[in-house]
Amino acid sequence: MTTWKKRLTPFGASAMSTRSQISTWSDEMPLRRPNIHGRSAASKGLLFKTPLGAVRNAQVVMTYGVGSMVAVDDNSFIVSGLDTWSIDSAHPLYEPRLQRRLGVRVFRSPPPADTPPAGDGVRIRRFPEIYSCPGCSELKKFKYFGTTTKSGRCADCDRRLVPSRFVVACEKGHLDDFPYWQWVHKRNAPAGEVGDRHDLTLSTDGRTASLRSVVINCSCGLASSMEGAFGSKALHSLGVACSGRRPWLGEGAGESGCDAVPRTLQRGASAAWFSVTRSSLSIPPWSDTLQKLVDKEFSALDVIVAQAGHADVIRHLSWVKEKGFTVGEVVEAVERRRQFSGANADDAQPESILEAAESFRIEEYPPLYHGHHQARQGDDFECVRPEDVDDVELPGGIDRVMLVKRLREVRALEAFTRVEAPEGTSDRQRFAHLSRSPVDWLPAVEVSGEGVFVALDPMALARWETSDVPVRRGAQIRKAHTDLLRRRAVRRGDPTESAKIESPISTRYILLHTLAHALINEWSLDAGYPAAALRERLYVSDQWAGLLIYTATSDSAGSLGGVVAQGSHARLGETLRSALDRISWCSQDPPCMESEASGTDSLNLAACYACVMLPESSCETNNSFLDRALLVGQPGEPRTGYFEHLLGEGR
């Protein structure tokens, strides 16, 4: 039986298109090969596909990346591994810090479809393989219905086939069809099997919306509802082990001996795929125009600089004279890039659950704090002080504000997990591979925008975070997080290590995180951006505490000045007081403020969607580690809130 394959490919007006289209092909189906400029497309090797749907470029990295399932009309597919992608026309992206951290030579944006061969970029495969027919109720693999990929209809009753609602996954990223036969027969093992045939059918009585109404019947006479299938050990109790399948990498790519407990998931559940994305801001010197030009031709320039007489070669490069650079500046930039690529400082840093505290992230703090005032046209980073810095004092507790007028962020897909979200960079044992064979690149998107950087006063922060109530509230969240991490370690069969696990979440981090949420909600009202268009980026260490709130889009909409305007001293004072007044009372109070545990896995205290929670795309930690009492205080508990002294000012 031929394996039907499909492709998910970008389209648009340029290689920087913000959208991607889905196209089909198969090993047997004739492909349309139109003539181009009097020559057959076949002679040029160009294969044109039929588009099925569309997704954004960013979604190919963030939402529908490798290993994720995507629904197209009445069908379901899984995005194939990187080694099957056609990347000849893919736009290369460079971000030296992130390249070194992830160990890749280059990043690539999803291949554009406006460059032939249209529709021939990102492959997708049919998954799940098991389908059901609403007419004859048969439940079996798609290829046994006697249909074609194009029609997708049952050969017997001509009804549109429906992909299975249920799949099986484990915490190590493996994925497989739900074992319907085992579910029916092993649950009814004491009754014995009746008959020789074992043809399955699916029926729903419609009386309830529960899984009890979904019944799997076998022609041998046995039947079982899907009730209880989602229990954490439902399959394990029946002796069903993880198959180790990796359907996104093709047939024969499975891993044997997986000891993880398989879990039943809905095909479209968020737990079926969690992206592991790493991002980096372009900061000096890597954001400078010269360094960007060197990055694009680094392999060739590295050889040229190493040879004698490189001056004449470099002098004749078109962009050297055009951009006003000297040979010496180019050589210096190449040497800097060479030394940076050869360094291994990041390899020695310990992996952390809290990305905001990693040295990789903290590298961005000094340029944001001190600024970069000599940005040239074409540079990706410009950070300056507000114009009213000498005229208006900042609110108490704030040390410095900087206006980031230009920024560039690269977001790359490193891996993915299933069942449970990744726990920072320390969770690599659960990361699923993106390719069957090694590749020297990763899919990524680059976004540009603007933002405001806010640094807290380190002396005021040090005094506040040693007070009794902030220490106690921070300890509550830290204990809940520690307990969660230890429970997960025990479930993975690592009880000895679980006792050593401690949460890195500090009271300082919770304060900074909640402040970012409060400001995003306030600025979304004042600047005219939806909250989902603003993002937070936190920086936490023993010496520093800062946050960057920024827009980041793949077009110019993120650089219109609306966010930067909020960063003047006068404006920040007004919006900060307004934000504090707004969250000092919540429509869910008093239960919200008095909560001892809230949010997913009890990782919040006084926080809900009526006060400080944000769209998940805006938050680094999926709306966890929040407590507005640390900002505005708690009734009957003086000196709890870091900004209590600002409440009511300006009313």
Side-chain angles (χ1 to χ4, degrees):
M1 178 68 185
T2 298
T3 300
W4 293 91
K5 300 179 181 178
K6 305 189 179 290
R7 298 180 186 247
L8 179 69
T9 58
F11 73 92
S14 70
M16 293 302 292
S17 167
T18 61
R19 298 193 58 85
S20 305
Q21 75 182 19
I22 299 173
S23 308
T24 87
W25 73 282
S26 88
D27 297 335
E28 291 180 340
M29 184 183 300
L31 300 174
R32 180 168 60 91
R33 301 167 185 259
N35 290 338
I36 300 178
H37 303 303
R39 293 179 59 189
S40 167
S43 66
K44 290 190 173 185
L46 305 180
L47 308 181
F48 286 78
K49 318 304 174 187
T50 304
L52 294 180
V55 296
R56 291 185 176 274
N57 268 10
Q59 288 181 310
V60 180
V61 174
M62 310 291 291
T63 309
Y64 300 122
V66 173
S68 68
M69 286 173 281
V70 54
V72 182
D73 294 331
D74 296 323
N75 294 281
S76 176
F77 304 96
I78 191 167
V79 180
S80 295
L82 297 181
D83 41 5
T84 68
W85 290 24
S86 176
I87 60 170
D88 294 340
S89 59
H91 182 68
L93 302 176
Y94 302 94
E95 174 47 47
R97 291 199 312 125
L98 194 58
Q99 288 170 227
R100 187 178 72 167
R101 184 189 191 194
L102 299 181
V104 295
R105 182 182 60 83
V106 68
F107 299 113
R108 295 188 183 275
S109 62
D114 61 322
T115 303
D120 192 13
V122 181
R123 298 188 181 183
I124 55 180
R125 306 171 187 269
R126 184 175 298 280
F127 188 85
E129 296 177 10
I130 294 180
Y131 276 61
S132 63
C133 175
C136 58
S137 300
E138 289 192 5
L139 181 69
K140 55 189 178 184
K141 288 189 175 183
F142 180 87
K143 61 184 180 182
Y144 296 140
F145 277 98
T147 184
T148 65
T149 298
K150 186 174 181 180
S151 70
R153 292 180 175 275
C154 177
D156 294 331
C157 58
D158 199 35
R159 295 287 298 274
R160 178 76 68 175
L161 299 177
V162 179
S164 170
R165 286 174 52 190
F166 311 108
V167 295
V168 173
C170 80
E171 290 185 351
K172 294 184 178 180
H174 300 133
L175 185 70
D176 203 352
D177 286 279
F178 183 84
Y180 290 103
W181 192 93
Q182 291 92 329
W183 181 253
V184 171
H185 293 82
K186 290 195 174 186
R187 291 187 91 191
N188 297 277
E193 297 179 3
V194 180
D196 298 325
R197 293 181 59 84
H198 299 285
D199 298 325
L200 300 180
T201 58
L202 182 149
S203 63
T204 56
D205 57 28
R207 289 181 294 181
T208 69
S210 68
L211 293 175
R212 184 180 302 175
S213 296
V214 181
V215 180
I216 311 300
N217 303 278
C218 182
S219 59
C220 71
L222 298 180
S224 181
S225 76
M226 291 295 295
E227 185 177 23
F230 285 84
S232 60
K233 295 186 178 181
L235 297 176
H236 181 71
S237 63
L238 296 179
V240 178
C242 177
S243 65
R245 276 197 70 195
R246 300 188 293 180
W248 65 96
L249 299 182
E251 293 298 327
E255 296 178 312
S256 60
C258 178
D259 57 357
V261 177
R263 295 279 300 272
T264 303
L265 300 174
Q266 290 270 13
R267 171 167 46 86
S270 59
W273 191 82
F274 294 102
S275 65
V276 179
T277 56
R278 304 298 179 210
S279 68
S280 173
L281 294 185
S282 293
I283 57 175
W286 317 115
S287 60
D288 298 345
T289 301
L290 173 57
Q291 199 65 54
K292 290 162 56 181
L293 293 170
V294 167
D295 284 341
K296 294 179 180 179
E297 303 180 35
F298 175 67
S299 298
L301 286 172
D302 192 22
V303 175
I304 293 173
V305 170
Q307 296 174 346
H310 58 68
D312 289 336
V313 178
I314 293 177
R315 189 177 293 113
H316 286 88
L317 293 175
S318 61
W319 52 266
V320 173
K321 184 178 294 185
E322 179 184 334
K323 300 293 184 180
F325 298 113
T326 66
V327 173
E329 288 173 330
V330 175
V331 172
E332 182 182 353
V334 173
E335 292 286 0
R336 182 190 301 117
R337 182 73 168 81
R338 175 192 291 168
Q339 293 174 8
F340 183 80
S341 299
N344 58 1
D346 284 356
D347 297 338
Q349 73 175 24
E351 296 179 335
S352 172
I353 296 173
L354 188 62
E355 193 170 4
E358 288 185 345
S359 60
F360 178 85
R361 175 72 65 87
I362 297 299
E363 287 176 0
E364 300 170 3
Y365 191 93
L368 289 168
Y369 186 87
H370 297 291
H372 184 59
H373 308 279
Q374 299 178 346
R376 303 174 49 148
Q377 184 177 3
D379 287 3
D380 287 328
F381 186 80
E382 181 181 5
C383 183
V384 300
R385 299 293 297 273
E387 293 182 358
D388 61 352
V389 63
D390 297 322
D391 302 324
V392 181
E393 290 188 3
L394 286 169
I398 301 294
D399 176 43
R400 175 170 293 198
V401 176
M402 300 295 290
L403 309 182
V404 187
K405 294 187 175 182
R406 274 184 279 172
L407 65 81
R408 171 181 179 260
E409 182 188 22
V410 175
R411 304 171 190 163
L413 177 66
E414 181 186 13
F416 66 88
T417 65
R418 303 195 195 276
V419 181
E420 290 184 351
E423 298 162 359
T425 57
S426 64
D427 209 12
R428 293 188 179 277
Q429 69 274 14
R430 291 202 299 126
F431 289 1
H433 293 167
L434 298 184
S435 61
R436 190 167 184 167
S437 56
V439 294
D440 62 354
W441 62 278
L442 287 174
V445 291
E446 64 176 351
V447 292
S448 58
E450 61 180 10
V452 174
F453 175 76
V454 179
L456 299 186
D457 184 342
M459 296 182 65
L461 185 59
R463 289 193 300 269
W464 170 83
E465 65 185 354
T466 57
S467 301
D468 292 342
V469 180
V471 168
R472 175 173 55 81
R473 295 185 71 87
Q476 283 182 259
I477 293 180
R478 186 163 54 255
K479 182 180 183 303
H481 190 219
T482 298
D483 292 343
L484 173 65
L485 296 177
R486 291 179 177 180
R487 287 197 303 270
R488 289 178 176 175
V490 171
R491 284 203 303 269
R492 294 171 196 153
D494 208 1
T496 56
E497 290 296 321
S498 66
K500 304 176 184 178
I501 297 177
E502 292 290 342
S503 169
I505 301 300
S506 63
T507 305
R508 174 178 298 208
Y509 176 83
I510 300 168
L511 167 70
L512 198 68
H513 191 200
T514 312
L515 174 61
H517 279 228
L519 288 176
I520 287 176
N521 276 328
E522 192 67 24
W523 289 356
S524 69
L525 300 174
D526 292 347
Y529 289 97
L534 301 177
R535 294 171 64 93
E536 66 179 5
R537 194 169 180 87
L538 307 180
Y539 304 87
V540 179
S541 73
D542 294 338
Q543 295 81 30
W544 298 324
L547 61 91
L548 174 67
I549 297 175
Y550 64 104
T551 66
T553 66
S554 54
D555 54 32
S556 61
S559 306
L560 301 178
V563 174
V564 165
Q566 306 300 316
S568 68
H569 283 200
R571 188 63 185 152
L572 179 67
E574 293 176 6
T575 56
L576 177 58
R577 292 179 179 91
S578 177
L580 295 172
D581 286 342
R582 193 181 304 278
I583 68 170
S584 64
W585 183 86
C586 171
S587 61
Q588 301 299 316
D589 281 341
C592 178
M593 179 59 80
E594 295 175 357
S595 173
E596 291 296 320
S598 66
T600 305
D601 296 314
S602 300
L603 297 180
N604 294 331
L605 290 180
C608 70
Y609 278 104
C611 50
V612 295
M613 286 189 176
L614 294 174
E616 289 187 0
S617 60
S618 300
C619 178
E620 290 190 336
T621 57
N622 296 320
N623 281 315
S624 298
F625 316 119
L626 298 167
D627 181 15
R628 62 189 172 95
L630 294 182
L631 285 178
V632 299
Q634 187 179 25
E637 296 282 2
R639 296 184 297 280
T640 301
Y642 182 76
F643 290 111
E644 275 187 43
H645 59 285
L646 297 180
L647 283 175
E649 289 187 13
R651 282 184 172 179

